[in-house]
Structure formats: structure tokens, C-alpha cells
Amino acid sequence: MTTSATETVTIGGDLTVGRIGYGAMQLTGPKVWGDYPDRDRGIALLHTVVEKGVTFIDTADVYGPHSNEELIREALHPYPEDLVIASKGGFVRGGPEYSDMGAVGNRNYLRQAAYLSARRLGLDHIDLYYLHTPTMTDAPFEDIIGTLAHMRQDGLIRHIGLSNVNVDQLRTALAITDIAAVTVHYNVAERLGAAVRHFAQQAGIVFSPWHPGAVPGGDAGRPFRAVIDPIAAEHHATAQQIALAWQLHRSEQALPIPGTTSVPHLEENLAAADITLSPAEVAAITALVPEDQ
């Protein structure tokens, strides 16, 4: 367990970014379908994200689909030299409901997806490109990883990431090529990605938890709030800020990507990087949910 939060994290050995990034998924329509309803506000928020010093933005071709990447380009291109934009491919969206989601892994589709993401973002290559899901059945997982490796060799992507994988899949991928980052569901209440976090820490892979600052509400949240609220009061912070600070103390390679459409909430999220938790506080939050190690 780490008990201090460093100021930066390095992706793939050569891309150094701030410890809290920005997840842009919320800048879409309802159910992540269509354009963000207030385009001018979305552009203004992205400007503020960069002005506040964020150097890592996470998006995906399926957000919209496509409109999220297009909004980022409209707002921020030409990009600051220190800004790293990660995108993802593999999911397909057949309609406006979450049940319309599918996945495609064949070589030509994934290469097209990466090329079109780069085009929408106004880039000649993508610094970090994730396989968004391993659930596709049209190609073996090993072949999909091989496709990503060839895309990197061709210069289309700089580093490879994996999203929503388990430890066995991560091991399989590492036997084929280098993996720079993983993103999975992991927070104070949801430890689905616990084993991946532990493996990534040992392997020096950046760990980018999604929904990183979520704290349950209602009756289900009482055990969590009983521990987190007193810590938050001690640090004059919100429970969500403590949840984010815990992520940074939990792993030296953590790169949480909280999303928001509110400037005050953005500022709160970024301020979590300045919170120093004690070892006892980190341990108390970690102990709220059993982990695999």
C-alpha cells in the first residue's frame, strides 16, 4: 500500500501527465447518445479543464457515438503540447439504448475505428488507444491484441491500453505486446477491478479507475459514509474528494478520470490531489470492501 500521492504519473515510460485526468463521457446526450445538448457550455468546460492544468483527457468513439471526440477537437484543437488524449475502440452502438451496445474485434474494423478517431480528434496518431471491451466474439482475444500491436508498429497509436479486462486477459495481452494502461471499475464501494489494480501496480502499468470518486448514497451507503464522512470533515473536504484522494494513495500508478459537466465540481475533483491521507485513513477506507489480495 502506498501512503502518499505523487504529482504525476507516466504512461508507457514517456507520457507524463497530472495525477487526475478528465473523463469526457458526460459531454454527450442522454444515455451517452448524441450531441451534448449545450454545445457552447461543453466547449467552455473543456477550455476550463485545460486552463486548470489537466493534461489527460479520456474519450471513446462510442461516446455519442463520435460526437464526444468531435467536441474535443472543436474546443481544444490545436492542442497544448502537454495534453494527452486517450480514446477507445471496439464497442458499436446500434441505437439510443444501452441494450443496443455490441462489440466488434476484427482487424479491419479496429484499424478503421482508430483511424477515424484520430481523424475526428485532428491527430496524426493517438497517444493512448484502448481496446474498450474484450467481450467481442468475432475474433480471438489474442488476435485482437495482435491487431493493436500492429497498429502501434505502424505509428497509428503510440501506446496500447485495455479496458474492462480481467487479470488473465491482461497477462495474455502482456505475453503478446506491451500494455501501458488499464481502465476498470474500481472505487471505495466497487472493487471489481481490485485484482487488475494489484497486477498493474506490480507490472508498472498505469491504472485508470472509472467512476473513481463514487460514494454510495441511501441505506447502502451508510457503512461507507460512516467511515468516509469523518475523514472528510477532518480534511475540510467532500466525501467524493476523499474517495479520489484514496485512489491516489492506493496506487502509485493511479490515474483517475472523474467526469463532470460542472466547473465547481471539476475544481473539487482536481483539489483532491492536494489531500494527504494518513496510512490509517487509507487503510480504513480500503477495509470497507474485501479485495482479492
Side-chain angles (χ1 to χ4, degrees):
M1 176 190 299
T2 183
T3 56
S4 62
T6 56
E7 294 182 354
T8 61
V9 63
T10 300
I11 303 165
D14 61 358
L15 296 175
T16 299
V17 298
R19 285 299 305 277
I20 295 181
Y22 176 72
M25 185 180 71
Q26 292 186 32
L27 295 179
T28 53
K31 299 182 182 179
V32 201
W33 178 264
D35 292 329
Y36 185 57
D38 190 339
R39 194 169 191 84
D40 289 343
R41 182 181 176 189
I43 289 171
L45 180 67
L46 287 165
H47 286 163
T48 303
V49 165
V50 171
E51 289 165 2
K52 294 294 182 180
V54 173
T55 51
F56 183 83
I57 293 177
D58 178 273
T59 184
D61 64 355
V62 78
Y63 298 164
H66 307 165
S67 62
N68 197 245
E69 292 173 327
E70 291 166 349
L71 184 67
I72 289 169
R73 177 178 182 170
E74 182 176 348
L76 300 177
H77 192 274
Y79 302 111
E81 289 186 3
D82 62 348
L83 181 64
V84 173
I85 298 176
S87 195
K88 314 180 197 75
F91 272 129
V92 292
R93 194 77 182 261
E97 301 298 326
Y98 289 123
S99 58
D100 295 321
M101 192 87 77
V104 178
N106 77 72
R107 177 183 181 276
N108 288 336
Y109 174 78
L110 283 180
R111 288 183 65 87
Q112 173 180 281
Y115 271 115
L116 293 181
S117 283
R119 183 187 299 175
R120 285 187 292 270
L121 289 164
L123 298 168
D124 59 9
H125 72 278
I126 298 175
D127 279 334
L128 176 61
Y129 191 73
Y130 287 97
L131 178 69
H132 205 162
T133 177
T135 60
M136 55 277 289
T137 59
D138 64 319
F141 181 73
E142 293 84 352
D143 290 356
I144 295 169
I145 300 303
T147 295
L148 294 171
H150 282 112
M151 286 160 58
R152 186 175 59 185
Q153 291 170 6
D154 292 344
L156 176 56
I157 61 178
R158 186 167 181 174
H159 294 296
I160 298 168
L162 298 177
S163 174
N164 301 314
V165 294
N166 59 38
V167 168
D168 288 342
Q169 290 165 332
L170 180 53
R171 286 197 184 100
T172 295
L174 280 171
I176 297 169
T177 189
D178 292 337
I179 302 298
V182 291
T183 177
V184 293
H185 196 186
Y186 182 84
N187 55 44
V188 298
E190 176 54 72
R191 309 291 173 85
L192 182 65
V196 172
R197 184 209 66 80
H198 182 66
F199 187 93
Q201 177 75 13
Q202 291 182 318
I205 296 170
V206 167
F207 178 75
S208 188
W210 50 269
H211 289 171
V215 180
D219 290 343
R222 287 179 182 175
F224 299 93
R225 301 303 291 253
V227 171
I228 294 171
D229 283 354
I231 297 173
E234 180 69 23
H235 291 273
H236 307 286
T238 67
Q240 288 73 27
Q241 285 178 309
I242 296 302
L244 281 173
W246 172 78
Q247 296 274 13
L248 300 181
H249 288 72
R250 188 78 178 107
S251 172
E252 295 172 357
Q253 292 293 107
L255 176 56
I257 47 170
T260 183
T261 60
S262 158
V263 171
H265 189 204
L266 170 68
E267 292 171 341
E268 284 186 3
N269 288 339
L270 298 180
D274 298 324
I275 297 173
T276 300
L277 300 176
S278 71
E281 290 169 334
V282 174
I285 297 170
T286 302
L288 284 167
V289 177
E291 298 198 3
D292 294 335
Q293 72 286 327

